[in-house]
Amino acid sequence: MFMLTLAITFLSAADPKLNPRQVAEGYVAAALAGKPVDAVRFAEDGKSPAKPESVKKLREVINANALALPTVLFRDKNGYALAVSEPIKLPKPLPDGTDRGCLLFTLKKSKDGVWLIKDIDVRSVDEAATRVKEAKNAHDDAKEIAPTKS
């Protein structure tokens, strides 16, 4: 049974039909479930999010059972996507002393058409809002993917 679950997770993570929201949510869900091997399948090889240690650190930073991603923007033309989390209490304050922040997930589309997590940053709530605004301005044809309804 374990191998079947692992095989299904592997196939779904490498599925070119998954949109950036599904990839970011899959990565976060696997990380929060304590399954770094599953999470890294949603990440670009050779990048920090593809390391199990990074997944474990992310789980510590989030320190919750779930994390919403209210904003996900993407542009198919150049394979760029940005997913922004809800504000969370940070385990350590940011350099400016702020103890609340958002996670920013940058995604890129591989040459095989698969969306992958390229980078994860922690930013203040204000800076996250600025990054979303900048992304919308830089990619005026970017589309937003509405949150998944549950």
Side-chain angles (χ1 to χ4, degrees), residues 2-3 5-15 18 23 26-27 30 35-45 49-52 55 114-117:
F2 173 75
M3 290 306 289
T5 304
L6 190 59
I8 290 170
T9 301
F10 177 73
L11 291 174
S12 64
D15 187 344
L18 293 180
V23 171
Y27 184 89
K35 298 180 178 179
V37 172
D38 292 344
V40 300
R41 291 194 167 101
F42 291 99
E44 183 180 358
D45 285 338
K51 297 177 182 173
V55 176
V114 177
W115 286 99
L116 298 167
I117 304 283

Side-chain angles (χ1 to χ4, degrees), residues 27 40 43-57 117-120:
Y27 184 89
V40 300
E44 183 180 358
D45 285 338
K47 301 292 182 179
S48 179
K51 297 177 182 173
E53 311 84 55
S54 296
V55 176
K56 291 174 187 173
K57 285 181 188 176
I117 304 283
K118 178 181 176 181
D119 191 32
I120 304 170

Side-chain angles (χ1 to χ4, degrees), residues 56-122:
K56 291 174 187 173
K57 285 181 188 176
L58 178 66
R59 184 175 182 203
E60 292 171 12
V61 168
I62 296 172
N63 193 25
N65 294 327
L67 179 71
L69 301 174
T71 304
V72 178
L73 298 170
F74 80 103
R75 184 171 186 235
D76 252 337
K77 187 176 181 178
N78 66 347
Y80 167 83
L82 177 68
V84 181
S85 79
E86 64 189 342
I88 60 171
K89 177 146 178 53
L90 301 172
K92 292 190 310 189
L94 295 171
D96 67 0
T98 306
D99 69 345
R100 293 191 60 75
C102 296
L103 298 172
L104 279 68
F105 298 83
T106 305
L107 295 90
K108 75 177 245 182
K109 200 173 205 180
S110 73
K111 56 186 165 195
D112 299 329
V114 177
W115 286 99
L116 298 167
I117 304 283
K118 178 181 176 181
D119 191 32
I120 304 170
D121 291 312
V122 178

